[in-house]
Amino acid sequence: MDRKKPENPAKKAFRFGNFEVFPNVYLSPMAGVTDLAFRRLLRSLAGGRVGLMVSEFVSTEAIRNTRTHELKGLRFDADERPFCVQLFGGDPARFAEAVRIVSDLGIDAVEINAGCPAPKMVRKGGGSQLLKDLPRLARLVAEARRACPLPLSLKVRTGWDESRPTLDECVRIACGEGLDLLVVHGRTRAQGYAGAADWGAIARAKRLATELRPEMPVVGNGDVRTVEEAVMRLETSGVDGVSSGRGAIHNPWLLAQIADAWEGGAPRVPSPEEQRALFADYERFLEEDGFTPSGRLGRLKLVAARLMKAVPGGASARADLLHAADPEAFRALLDDFFGKLAEKGTAGFEPGGLDDLNG
Ligand SMILES: Cc1cc2nc3c(=O)[nH]c(=O)nc-3n(C[C@H](O)[C@H](O)[C@H](O)COP(=O)(O)O)c2cc1C
């Protein structure tokens, strides 16, 4: 009798309008992180098997006031597909105008940001401020839908704060206006990025969406750092896909590991040499993208601050790296630390052991 375990049904593709997203775990957009250089890094680690790539949010005001080719946030590689541009704004008519403009840039999809919690941005009426004014969110979604010839998604949080859950209403808006995807970050605006994401709320949103429109895909987001966590969330919440933000900085191999696992292989554990090489690749991509030495150092530190927490014994090297004065000093510290690790034959990378994704 064949006792082979059936292939896990969570490891699949989901349909986003006219294309499929496979693997169904992808990088969540992060302003100041997931720019062209970081996305190139993750795509190169995963051999291009990254599901879906989403831009950092781009404000509709910037699109109104600047020529699109001058906007860094709108740049993408020709082979970076499917590629989705995420837009931030609070005015329905201006949002629709921005949707029309970006839809002409050769991209594959557009996403409406109704989750950004930053006070400076919220004051402009977009992001999670839209969760405080659901009639305006509904108008904005309807106008964006009319303006958008491409697959269109809505990304929301579970509500403004605990006393004002808005997720059911957002599901109704997304299903009623014929959107192609709903992405739910399982925190309220008041939570920011603290505390655990509420996957129970995400699961309920998926169930409601299925009742209202059975074919509506829902992506869940919050606290996913490893292949095991992604599989567990897919299995227990019933969502069609998962996106990972901070977890993919702690573990930039996440998308590669997911792709390995989804194709039936064993997810790779990066060796010390591969961990060292990641920083060299990232620095090269940053340089290609026009980053100055100090700009490069800032981004390298941002990744080191998170990644080194997952490297066993990396705590003191992490502290030294964060104090490096320039890219040369940073490189020397990396060579020293990972050289010794390789000599000792110490392998290992443990992003699942982290209890706090903040920093
Ligand atoms: C530094 C930073 C920048 C972010 N920028 C965006 C953004 O531009 N658009 C967006 O939809 N979400 C943004 N997010 C939210 C993430 O996409 C994600 O929803 C959130 O971090 C929860 O997922 P995680 O627990 O996997 O990090 C940002 C998060 C961080 C930490």
Side-chain angles (χ1 to χ4, degrees), residues 28-34 55-58 86 111 113-117 155 157 185-187 193 197 221-224 243-249 306 357-358:
S28 201
M30 289 177 286
V33 183
T34 59
S55 75
E56 308 166 80
F57 76 74
V58 181
Q86 190 190 70
E111 182 161 277
N113 178 322
C116 177
K155 181 168 176 220
R157 286 178 174 249
H185 172 195
R187 290 187 178 82
Y193 298 99
N221 163 244
D223 304 334
V224 169
S243 70
S244 170
R246 294 162 303 165
I249 318 178
R306 291 181 181 275
L357 275 179
N358 284 317

Side-chain angles (χ1 to χ4, degrees), residues 108-123:
D108 300 294
V110 178
E111 182 161 277
I112 301 166
N113 178 322
C116 177
K120 202 176 91 195
M121 301 307 294
V122 164
R123 273 196 293 277

Side-chain angles (χ1 to χ4, degrees), residues 6-340:
E7 189 47 52
N8 190 319
K11 297 177 181 177
K12 58 180 183 184
F14 69 84
R15 182 150 280 282
F16 181 9
N18 59 357
F19 58 84
E20 296 223 310
V21 176
F22 181 84
N24 54 338
V25 179
Y26 65 91
L27 178 65
S28 201
M30 289 177 286
V33 183
T34 59
D35 59 4
L36 194 58
F38 189 81
R39 299 198 308 267
R40 272 184 189 156
L41 176 70
L42 264 58
R43 280 169 57 226
S44 78
L45 294 173
R49 303 166 302 164
V50 291
L52 173 69
M53 282 289 174
V54 186
S55 75
E56 308 166 80
F57 76 74
V58 181
S59 102
T60 55
E61 291 310 297
I63 289 172
R64 205 179 153 80
N65 298 323
T66 322
R67 279 175 296 198
T68 50
H69 68 269
E70 289 173 13
L71 285 174
K72 271 195 133 188
L74 291 178
R75 288 182 310 132
F76 61 103
D77 282 327
D79 60 348
E80 188 176 3
R81 295 198 178 278
F83 182 71
C84 173
V85 165
Q86 190 190 70
L87 293 176
F88 171 97
D91 180 80
R94 290 187 178 189
F95 207 100
E97 183 191 334
V99 166
R100 273 186 217 101
I101 293 170
V102 299
S103 294
D104 267 349
L105 298 177
I107 63 169
D108 300 294
V110 178
E111 182 161 277
I112 301 166
N113 178 322
C116 177
K120 202 176 91 195
M121 301 307 294
V122 164
R123 273 196 293 277
K124 297 180 183 167
S128 53
Q129 181 69 25
L130 289 165
L131 304 179
K132 264 188 153 176
D133 186 350
L134 293 174
R136 190 151 56 94
L137 174 66
R139 274 201 315 281
L140 187 144
V141 168
E143 292 211 20
R145 175 72 290 179
R146 273 197 292 280
C148 190
L150 302 173
L152 181 62
S153 78
L154 172 66
K155 181 168 176 220
V156 297
R157 286 178 174 249
T158 53
W160 178 262
D161 59 26
E162 224 179 303
S163 71
R164 276 170 285 190
T166 51
L167 194 46
D168 284 3
E169 199 46 40
C170 289
V171 173
R172 285 197 184 89
I173 291 170
C175 290
E177 294 299 340
L179 294 197
D180 300 289
L181 176 66
L182 176 68
V183 183
V184 183
H185 172 195
R187 290 187 178 82
T188 62
R189 190 264 171 187
Q191 280 179 290
Y193 298 99
D198 182 352
W199 278 87
I202 295 171
R204 287 192 295 280
K206 171 60 191 171
R207 283 200 294 276
L208 178 59
T210 305
E211 262 171 44
L212 297 173
R213 195 145 67 85
E215 71 280 13
M216 181 77 180
V218 175
V219 162
N221 163 244
D223 304 334
V224 169
R225 300 154 294 183
T226 62
V227 173
E228 293 74 21
E229 286 171 345
V231 171
M232 185 268 283
R233 292 309 184 191
L234 285 163
E235 283 177 345
T236 57
S237 71
V239 291
D240 304 274
V242 160
S243 70
S244 170
R246 294 162 303 165
I249 318 178
H250 283 289
N251 177 13
W253 290 274
L254 178 63
L255 301 182
Q257 291 169 332
I258 294 275
D260 291 344
W262 266 227
E263 288 172 3
R268 74 197 64 184
V269 178
S271 66
E273 289 84 355
E274 285 170 319
Q275 293 169 30
R276 171 67 187 92
L278 173 133
F279 286 98
D281 290 346
Y282 189 33
E283 187 170 9
R284 194 178 71 252
F285 291 134
L286 288 164
E287 202 170 354
E288 282 171 12
D289 201 26
F291 275 73
T292 61
S294 76
R296 294 204 300 271
L297 184 64
R299 290 301 176 95
L300 288 166
K301 285 185 178 180
L302 191 149
V303 168
R306 291 181 181 275
L307 187 151
M308 294 303 286
K309 283 191 173 177
V311 180
S316 89
R318 176 182 182 273
D320 293 342
L321 286 164
L322 297 187
H323 284 105
D326 50 47
E328 290 72 31
F330 190 90
R331 271 181 238 128
L333 286 164
L334 289 173
D335 287 341
D336 183 52
F337 175 74
F338 286 111
K340 284 187 185 137

